[in-house]
Amino acid sequence: MTSYLSAASWHDFNVRVFTAAGVPGGDAKLAADVRLESALRQGAGIDVFSIQRLQNTVRRLQAGGINPVPQVAVVHDAGHHALLDGDNGLGSVVGTRAMQRCLENARTRGLALVGVRNSTTLGMMAYYAMLALPQHAIGFAATNTELKIGLPPWGGVTPALGNNPFAVAIPAGRGPAVVLDMSVIATQPQATGGGPGTSSRAPLGSGFMSRPVIGDHKGYGLALVLEVLTGVLTGAGFGQAHSPEPLAAPGARYDLGHLFGVLNPSVFMPPSQFLTRMEQLCEEVVQTPRALGVERIYLPGELERERREVRLREGIPVHDETPAALQELCDRLGIERPVLG
C-alpha cells in the first residue's frame, strides 16, 4: 500500500537533514526547495533512489567532499556574462545563486550567461531554468556530471562523457510554460515500476555499455557539446577528471561545471507578440492528428506540471520500501522521521 507525504512535510524533513549535516538555515531551505520541486514533478515521487542520493550527499557534507558553508565568489562579471566559483558548495545552493545573478544581469540587458566552476550535483535541472519564468524570460541550465553515470563516445567502449543534463523553460502566454528537462542517457518511462531498491529514473540496463544513448551518435555529439559548455569553457573539471575511481571517496571534490542562461524575448520583439506566437505554436502542436490509441498530445513539461498540482493536493507518493531507508537516515542524523499518511 502506497503511503503519502505532504509537500510541507517533505520540505521540512529536507531542511532538517541539511541543517543536521551542517548547512546553514537559509542554504538548507534552498537545497530543500530543489528537492521538493523534484519530488512534486518527477514520476518516481519519494523512492529509495532519492533517499540514497540524499544519504550520499550527507556523507559527503560530513566528510568534506561538499562544503556546507561555501563562499561563492565572483571570478568576473561583465554584465552579459559572468563566472562564479562555487567553493565546492551544494550544487543546489551554488546553482540557485548563479541563476539569480543571471536573472539580475538579464533584467537590464535582456540576456545573460553565467558559468560556474568548482561545484557539485545540481539535482533537477528544470528548477533553475524555471526561475526565469516569473520574469517572462527563457531560462537555460546545463551541467556536466561524473562518469559513473556517463557514456562512451560513439564507437568507444570506455565512458568519456557524463550524461550531462540540461533544461530549457519557455513562457507560453495563457498556456503552461514549455519546460524541457533531459539528459542524453535513456531512462525507463516514469510510469514503469521496479523491485525494491530500484528506480524508474535509473538508466536502463546495468553497466556502462548497456545504457542507451538518446539519438545514438547524435546523443553522443550533444553530450560532447554540453561537456564543452559546462566544463571546458568554465574552467571546471571535465572528461576523465570525473572518473569514478578518484571520486569514490566521500571526501573527494567533484569540481563540476554549470552554465546558466536567461533570454528576454524583448531583445527580438515585443513580449506580447512573442507570447501570442508561442500560443499559436503550442496550439498547432497539440492539435496535430494523433496516432491510434493516443488520447492526448503533451507539450514538454505538461505532464510534470499536472503531476505537481495533484501532489500538492493529495501528497507525494512514498514507495513501500522507502520508510526503512528514511529511518536509517534519521537515526544517523538524530532527527525524527516524517509522519507518513
Side-chain angles (χ1 to χ4, degrees), residues 20-32:
V23 178
D27 286 354
K29 182 182 180 301
L30 285 180

Side-chain angles (χ1 to χ4, degrees), residues 22 43 70 74 79 128 158 190 236 282 315 317-318 333:
V74 179
Y128 309 96
T158 303
Q190 290 189 343
C282 292
V318 180
L333 293 174

Side-chain angles (χ1 to χ4, degrees), residues 128-176:
Y128 309 96
M130 290 190 300
L131 291 177
L133 295 177
Q135 288 194 20
H136 308 291
I138 299 168
F140 170 81
T143 185
N144 62 5
T145 69
E146 64 270 30
L147 298 189
K148 183 179 180 181
I149 49 175
L151 64 145
W154 185 248
V157 297
T158 303
L161 301 164
N163 70 340
N164 298 354
F166 68 97
V168 182
I170 308 171
R174 291 171 294 181

Side-chain angles (χ1 to χ4, degrees), residues 112-130:
L113 287 174
V114 172
V116 179
R117 65 191 186 199
N118 194 16
S119 185
T120 59
T121 305
L122 287 175
M124 188 184 74
M125 300 304 299
Y127 176 86
Y128 309 96
M130 290 190 300

Side-chain angles (χ1 to χ4, degrees), residues 53-113:
R53 290 188 63 182
L54 185 56
Q55 290 173 326
N56 182 59
T57 300
V58 168
R59 282 193 292 267
R60 295 184 61 212
L61 282 163
Q62 294 175 331
I66 300 176
N67 184 356
V69 285
Q71 301 299 312
V72 180
V74 179
V75 179
H76 67 76
D77 189 341
H80 286 101
H81 54 86
L83 177 64
L84 305 185
D85 187 304
D87 194 25
N88 198 43
L90 276 169
S92 49
V93 173
V94 176
T96 301
R97 293 181 183 175
M99 191 60 175
Q100 287 171 344
R101 178 171 288 270
C102 199
L103 287 163
E104 291 170 4
N105 289 353
R107 189 172 285 111
T108 56
R109 297 173 177 86
L111 69 164
L113 287 174

Side-chain angles (χ1 to χ4, degrees), residues 20-335:
V23 178
D27 286 354
K29 182 182 180 301
L30 285 180
D33 289 346
V34 178
R35 287 186 57 81
L36 171 61
E37 198 63 34
S38 176
L40 288 171
R41 293 177 63 88
Q42 294 184 344
I46 303 171
D47 58 2
V48 168
F49 181 69
S50 66
I51 303 303
Q52 289 173 341
R53 290 188 63 182
L54 185 56
Q55 290 173 326
N56 182 59
T57 300
V58 168
R59 282 193 292 267
R60 295 184 61 212
L61 282 163
Q62 294 175 331
I66 300 176
N67 184 356
V69 285
Q71 301 299 312
V72 180
V74 179
V75 179
H76 67 76
D77 189 341
H80 286 101
H81 54 86
L83 177 64
L84 305 185
D85 187 304
D87 194 25
N88 198 43
L90 276 169
S92 49
V93 173
V94 176
T96 301
R97 293 181 183 175
M99 191 60 175
Q100 287 171 344
R101 178 171 288 270
C102 199
L103 287 163
E104 291 170 4
N105 289 353
R107 189 172 285 111
T108 56
R109 297 173 177 86
L111 69 164
L113 287 174
V114 172
V116 179
R117 65 191 186 199
N118 194 16
S119 185
T120 59
T121 305
L122 287 175
M124 188 184 74
M125 300 304 299
Y127 176 86
Y128 309 96
M130 290 190 300
L131 291 177
L133 295 177
Q135 288 194 20
H136 308 291
I138 299 168
F140 170 81
T143 185
N144 62 5
T145 69
E146 64 270 30
L147 298 189
K148 183 179 180 181
I149 49 175
L151 64 145
W154 185 248
V157 297
T158 303
L161 301 164
N163 70 340
N164 298 354
F166 68 97
V168 182
I170 308 171
R174 291 171 294 181
V178 173
V179 181
L180 174 68
D181 186 342
M182 61 173 283
S183 69
V184 298
I185 292 180
T187 56
Q188 296 179 12
Q190 290 189 343
T192 62
T198 65
S199 171
S200 61
R201 294 175 291 156
L204 286 168
S206 60
F208 291 119
M209 289 307 297
S210 60
R211 294 172 177 171
V213 178
I214 292 174
D216 297 327
H217 60 287
K218 296 179 182 179
Y220 150 62
L222 178 58
L224 179 62
V225 169
L226 288 165
E227 192 79 34
V228 173
L229 294 177
T230 59
V232 176
L233 184 64
T234 62
F238 61 89
Q240 294 303 320
H242 294 145
S243 296
E245 293 79 9
L247 300 181
R253 298 166 67 98
Y254 279 21
D255 189 18
L256 297 183
H258 320 311
L259 185 66
F260 301 94
V262 174
L263 172 62
N264 193 313
S266 63
V267 302
F268 293 111
M269 64 180 62
S272 59
Q273 182 182 1
F274 171 77
L275 294 177
T276 298
R277 291 167 64 84
M278 278 298 300
E279 290 172 4
Q280 178 183 343
L281 174 62
C282 292
E283 184 67 17
E284 290 176 358
V285 169
V286 298
Q287 293 301 324
T288 300
R290 300 185 297 275
L292 184 65
V294 175
E295 296 182 359
R296 176 182 172 187
I297 293 174
Y298 289 88
L299 295 168
E302 201 167 9
L303 273 171
E304 292 82 356
R305 180 184 64 85
E306 294 180 2
R307 182 182 295 126
R308 182 182 191 274
E309 292 175 353
V310 170
R311 290 180 177 177
L312 284 173
R313 294 193 308 268
E314 302 177 2
I316 305 167
V318 180
H319 292 216
D320 290 342
E321 68 275 12
T322 304
L326 269 174
Q327 189 64 58
E328 179 184 345
L329 177 58
C330 292
D331 291 343
R332 177 176 180 175
L333 293 174
I335 62 176

